[in-house]
Amino acid sequence: MAQINENFIKIPATYLFSEIAKRVAQHKEENPTAPIIRMGIGDVSLPLPDASVDAMIKAADEQRSAATFRGYGPEQGYAFLREAIVINDFTNNGIDIAEDEIFVSDGAKSDTGNIGDIFDVNNRVAITDPSYPVYVDTNAMAGRAGEPTATGEWTNLVYLQCNAENNFVPALPTEKVDLVYLCYPNNPTGTTLTKEQLTVWVEYAKANNVIILFDAAYEAFITEKDVPHSIYEIEGAKDVAIEFRSFSKTAGFTGTRCGYTVVPKQLMGTAANGEKVSLNKLWNRRQCTKFNGTSYVVQRAAEATYTPEGKEQVKSLIDFYTENARIIREGLTKAGYTIFGGVNAPYVWAKAPVGMGSWEYFDYLLKEKNIVTTPGAGFGASGEGYVRFSAFGSKENTIEAMKRLER
Ligand code: MLT
């Protein structure tokens, strides 16, 4: 008899965005002509940069001939992409990261979910509340989160509340933790930490032997100077942090799939006997066993985002969504909402009308306004009473949604 991993029974039966998709599909079925505007999941609406598509076509064509055909690639990613990443995302910004500290993958979702493989089940994990549900769900699947409570919180997780009262800046944990997930610019609130605020976290991690799992999937949306694009901008961060990056939101790769994780060689974990062990080596070992690399064609597409034309095209994608975020911010403010985020991120976090829960307001917006959002409660207990608006739609739809809300 094959016994299952009991932890899967403890987690909610459906993943947040699958539940939303189900409700939207049902609404569509009941109202086939409803003019639905999707501002829920952060899925891009603009096509890939031309530079990436051209690179994919060329790479696909290479697969026709034995002389240029590629089979298994390096599990860590091709040198051409790792080199482009190092130069453009780090060296050019004054950050010293080596190619063998970069692990190319199929996206930040997989990596933030899989990273738990290299950590013991007894580690105490802190997460900001609200947070991207993958951090909680994957720790729960691994048995690291303990038991779910009536409020949906987990007994072994340490929740770091981010709310209007603390200006969405999480306080340092007051109890001993081993791992902390930080996502900045933040999903779902669209808020940020300044360099000074992130420095506090790096220093805390150093002083308390904590590893920070830093999700920087939205760094391309930063518009303000004082907001770090990488945790490695902070001195000493290479001793305490793993960073996750993604081409999904930056270059429209949500369907194409490519991201990468940085595991500095000096970053150490501790074995049961007290010995220090390189996390870079463990992650490499994990990837070599469980992952055969991102496809060659896709890695060429990612590489192309770093060419001069690619950079221009990526910038216009980001500018487009940033303008949508501004439209949402201004539209919601005009309509009387209390809002947060959306300046350095493609998400705007809006307070639901007084007395209305997140899911209740989500359903109202869907049924009465034909607008899909994401209920804040889906990201954690502190998200209750909020909904998230995504700026990844078309400009036309974004403007139309704001008009509907104003009415
Ligand atoms: C979101 O909407 O939070 C993201 O699109 C989810 C993801 O990147 O997996």
Side-chain angles (χ1 to χ4, degrees):
M1 194 167 36
Q3 288 205 315
I4 58 145
N5 175 349
E6 289 287 322
N7 296 316
F8 276 73
I9 294 182
K10 300 179 193 169
I11 58 176
T14 19
Y15 179 59
L16 172 63
F17 292 105
S18 316
E19 173 62 29
I20 293 170
K22 208 169 85 188
R23 292 193 191 205
V24 175
Q26 190 186 337
H27 176 64
K28 187 86 192 151
E29 204 180 302
E30 290 161 7
N31 308 276
T33 57
I36 295 176
I37 296 178
R38 292 171 196 272
M39 305 179 86
I41 191 167
D43 195 4
V44 295
S45 56
L46 292 178
L48 288 176
D50 276 339
S52 293
V53 176
D54 292 343
M56 284 167 99
I57 292 168
K58 183 166 173 282
D61 215 40
E62 286 171 26
Q63 308 309 302
R64 292 182 201 277
S65 143
T68 49
F69 165 79
R70 309 266 183 149
Y72 290 127
E75 294 91 345
Q76 305 80 2
Y78 282 101
F80 62 78
L81 179 55
R82 294 169 98 193
E83 190 184 331
I85 288 169
V86 164
I87 293 172
N88 292 282
D89 290 347
F90 298 103
T91 315
N92 288 353
N93 299 323
I95 302 169
D96 177 27
I97 292 289
E99 274 173 48
D100 56 1
E101 295 177 312
I102 304 287
F103 295 85
V104 176
S105 70
D106 67 347
K109 180 180 188 175
S110 324
D111 284 356
T112 53
N114 291 330
I115 197 74
D117 278 11
I118 64 170
F119 294 107
D120 186 75
V121 70
N122 293 315
N123 279 305
R124 193 104 164 120
V125 176
I127 56 149
T128 55
D129 178 18
S131 74
Y132 181 38
V134 168
Y135 313 150
V136 174
D137 286 4
T138 55
N139 275 290
M141 287 171 182
R144 211 176 280 118
E147 300 298 321
T149 65
T151 58
E153 288 173 301
W154 292 80
T155 50
N156 286 355
L157 292 182
V158 174
Y159 292 90
L160 309 170
Q161 289 190 357
C162 296
N163 49 40
E165 285 70 54
N166 62 15
N167 214 12
F168 297 92
V169 178
L172 297 173
T174 50
E175 57 191 288
K176 173 70 189 135
V177 303
D178 307 293
L179 296 167
V180 179
Y181 288 81
L182 294 178
C183 171
Y184 288 98
N186 186 254
N187 179 16
T189 63
T191 58
T192 49
L193 291 185
T194 62
K195 200 162 181 183
E196 200 180 321
Q197 287 163 338
L198 190 55
T199 303
V200 170
W201 278 96
V202 170
E203 283 171 1
Y204 157 80
K206 279 191 103 142
N208 294 279
N209 280 321
V210 171
I211 302 275
I212 299 176
L213 302 171
F214 191 75
D215 185 349
Y218 297 92
E219 66 77 30
F221 295 88
I222 293 172
T223 57
E224 293 180 320
K225 264 208 150 35
D226 199 24
V227 179
H229 288 251
S230 164
I231 195 166
Y232 305 120
E233 286 177 37
I234 315 292
E235 211 186 306
K238 281 167 73 180
D239 293 327
V240 293
I242 291 176
E243 181 165 296
F244 305 92
R245 293 279 193 108
S246 169
F247 293 92
S248 286
K249 321 294 161 129
T250 312
F253 277 50
T254 50
T256 306
R257 307 307 308 150
C258 196
Y260 67 89
T261 288
V262 187
V263 190
K265 280 177 290 198
Q266 68 208 63
L267 182 62
M268 297 289 155
T270 312
N273 64 4
E275 199 186 309
K276 295 289 172 203
V277 178
S278 157
L279 294 180
N280 177 290
K281 283 198 178 136
L282 295 193
W283 185 243
N284 186 49
R285 186 70 182 81
R286 190 263 172 214
Q287 292 297 81
C288 289
T289 303
K290 291 196 178 181
F291 187 59
N292 256 339
T294 307
S295 85
Y296 169 69
V297 172
V298 167
Q299 291 194 59
R300 282 294 187 198
E303 180 197 24
T305 64
Y306 294 112
T307 59
E309 345 40 284
K311 282 182 186 172
E312 275 291 304
Q313 292 157 11
V314 164
K315 185 178 176 307
S316 66
L317 296 180
I318 301 291
D319 288 349
F320 180 90
Y321 298 129
T322 301
E323 170 63 4
N324 277 353
R326 185 194 62 76
I327 293 168
I328 298 170
R329 279 195 337 263
E330 291 184 1
L332 293 179
T333 305
K334 202 162 148 206
Y337 288 77
T338 303
I339 57 140
F340 304 91
V343 175
N344 298 291
Y347 298 127
V348 178
W349 191 238
K351 195 116 190 63
V354 179
M356 255 185 153
S358 288
W359 278 105
E360 196 186 346
Y361 194 50
F362 165 86
D363 282 332
Y364 166 81
L365 290 175
L366 178 62
K367 290 182 184 149
E368 303 301 323
K369 304 281 182 184
N370 285 303
I371 298 173
V372 183
T373 55
T374 307
F379 297 103
S382 293
E384 183 52 276
Y386 287 90
V387 289
R388 190 193 74 176
F389 286 84
S390 146
F392 286 115
S394 69
K395 183 168 183 173
E396 198 188 344
N397 278 351
T398 305
I399 292 173
E400 169 58 20
M402 293 305 110
K403 279 195 192 137
R404 288 187 200 170
L405 292 174
E406 211 183 316
R407 285 200 291 269

